[in-house]
Amino acid sequence: MKLSTLLIAFLVVALIAFFAIVPPAFSQDGAATFKAKCSTCHGPEGQGKVGPAVKGTALAADQIADLLTKGNDAKKPPHKKPMASLSADDAKAVAAFVKTLK
Ligand code: HEC
């Protein structure tokens, strides 16, 4: 076997290993989730847009995660209902991220 073939084989294995490990870390990245699913309404810095500001919210992180995963009938849409396509881990991560916004 040529050295270059070995090198390519090694690179392929390394790439597969990389992508096998990285996606879960990505989907729990609160900042990325916020940007993708919340910033249209709450603004990229949580300063508020269509929805109210979430930075400096009085809610605790677990209350935010609950609001997102379970919904709250007393709230206006979209938080009346659980947010679709948001796993419990994503909700926790994004809630923790919201608490970092100041
Ligand atoms: C379609 C627009 C929209 C999207 C998308 C959205 N929100 Fe909201 N959000 C609102 C509105 C409107 C309210 C106010 C609801 C009310 O008070 O009845 C709100 C309220 C909240 C509150 C409560 C703030 C407080 O201090 O009481 C939090 C926390 C929150 N959103 C977090 C999020 C997070 C995190 C995401 C992304 C996973 C998200 N929202 C996505 C519109 C949106």
Side-chain angles (χ1 to χ4, degrees):
M1 218 189 280
K2 276 197 263 173
L3 185 63
S4 57
T5 317
L6 268 177
L7 202 65
I8 288 166
F10 171 78
L11 280 178
V12 167
V13 170
L15 265 181
I16 290 169
F18 179 76
F19 283 109
I21 294 163
V22 166
F26 252 112
S27 57
Q28 287 171 33
D29 183 340
T33 305
F34 189 85
K35 197 166 167 234
K37 303 198 166 145
C38 322
S39 65
T40 31
C41 293
H42 292 293
E45 270 97 50
Q47 76 276 31
K49 215 169 169 184
V50 191
V54 289
K55 63 174 182 181
T57 177
L59 297 176
D62 54 346
Q63 292 177 303
I64 299 174
D66 260 17
L67 175 67
L68 300 175
T69 51
K70 296 177 191 157
N72 180 338
D73 216 31
K75 292 280 184 189
K76 288 183 221 136
H79 300 300
K80 241 183 194 349
K81 298 217 172 89
M83 290 203 93
S85 80
L86 200 68
S87 73
D89 282 344
D90 286 339
K92 265 192 213 147
V94 80
F97 175 75
V98 166
K99 293 304 284 181
T100 69
L101 297 169
K102 298 225 162 63

